[in-house]
Amino acid sequence: MKIVIIGGTGLIGSNVAKRLRADGHDVFAASPSTGVDTITGAGLDDALKGADVVVDVANGPNFEDNAIMEFFRTSTGNVMAAEKKAGVGHHVALSIVGADLIPDSGYMRAKVAQEELIKAAGVPYTIVRATQFMEFTSAIAHGGTRGEAIHLPPAMMQPIAADDVSAAVAAAAEAEPVNGTYDIAGPEKIGQDDLVRRLLAAEGDDRQVITDPEATYFGAAVANTSLLAPAGEAHLGKTDFAAWFAGRDAA
């Protein structure tokens, strides 16, 4: 198949592209660096000519509430319109588990808006919802830093390795559209505070993590189950934290 990956040069996109090329597909990684701008629409129609599948794993450059909402609305709207014009048969998008359960987060609201645009566009689709990436654990620690300590809630998480996310997205691109969503998650459940403690211990970082039920997740209040995949419904990745950290360290 000809498969176009929007955001195909990023963390997930480049991994998905590698997997799909290894399976023999004709893959084009679409990004501003390869002449495709989904905000202005420049290069989009040409990139999608003859495409069987479009995979969208793009992310905005600015996570401020209004900016990220504008990015996903504009980018997704332009991509879906170009897909209809080109006769694309399957749109695959990466979203976030629990996006609709954390309305305090501008980023989560933007992902929900993106999902709604996809569902209304009339192109067969699959939305893969992933839990938080293990690769973002340092960012979670940074977001909770207050002086010399890190304040984090005990809300449960189910972190997944980016490599497992990429495998799931690539598999979705090769399968038939489900015209719905399905969830992927890591194999372990752990409190947000304990996840960061585990990373700091592995890195030899002696900063203190303070469990604070009032602390937020990047400014948004989260319940104990907000960041977990629905029980019994998620496809679980194979990489646990220890294996991920060992692989990261080896790399």
Side-chain angles (χ1 to χ4, degrees):
M1 294 185 290
K2 178 180 177 180
I3 302 176
V4 176
I5 304 177
I6 307 295
T9 58
L11 172 66
I12 301 298
S14 59
N15 191 320
V16 172
K18 178 181 69 174
R19 290 172 177 276
L20 293 174
R21 288 186 181 117
D23 285 347
H25 301 290
D26 174 12
V27 178
F28 177 64
S31 71
S33 66
T34 61
V36 180
D37 189 328
T38 60
I39 298 301
T40 66
L44 193 54
D45 286 344
D46 285 342
L48 267 55
K49 284 179 181 176
D52 300 290
V53 181
V54 171
V55 176
D56 188 354
V57 292
N59 216 349
N62 184 345
F63 287 7
E64 186 273 328
D65 286 2
N66 292 328
I68 197 64
M69 179 65 80
E70 182 64 21
F71 172 82
F72 279 120
R73 281 182 171 165
T74 302
S75 178
T76 304
N78 287 340
V79 169
M80 302 310 296
E83 286 181 26
K84 289 198 76 172
K85 187 187 304 183
V88 172
H90 188 188
H91 178 91
V92 178
L94 179 61
S95 191
I96 304 172
V97 164
D100 49 342
L101 302 177
I102 312 176
D104 289 350
S105 166
Y107 188 87
M108 296 295 195
R109 293 195 301 270
K111 293 301 287 185
V112 170
Q114 180 190 27
E115 291 185 10
E116 290 172 349
L117 286 170
I118 292 166
K119 293 173 183 177
V123 176
Y125 69 92
T126 300
I127 296 173
V128 180
R129 280 184 154 198
T131 52
Q132 285 62 38
F133 300 172
M134 292 180 189
E135 285 78 0
F136 294 163
T137 307
S138 292
I140 294 172
H142 179 74
T145 298
R146 304 289 182 270
E148 296 299 315
I150 301 171
H151 292 249
L152 292 171
M156 297 299 290
M157 302 181 73
Q158 208 164 343
I160 185 170
D163 191 57
D164 287 345
V165 174
S166 301
V169 172
E174 294 179 310
E176 293 297 315
V178 301
N179 291 315
T181 65
Y182 71 86
D183 296 333
I184 57 174
E188 301 174 299
K189 296 180 182 179
I190 185 172
Q192 190 176 136
D193 51 347
D194 287 334
L195 175 65
V196 171
R197 286 190 185 101
R198 194 171 182 183
L199 177 67
L200 297 184
E203 293 180 332
D205 188 328
D206 61 2
R207 283 180 295 167
Q208 181 182 14
V209 177
I210 297 173
T211 301
D212 181 357
E214 300 303 315
T216 60
Y217 177 70
F218 295 111
V222 288
N224 197 46
T225 58
S226 298
L227 301 172
L228 295 178
E233 296 180 13
H235 301 256
L236 299 183
K238 64 183 187 308
T239 309
D240 62 16
F241 182 90
W244 167 77
F245 188 83
R248 187 197 76 159
D249 201 40

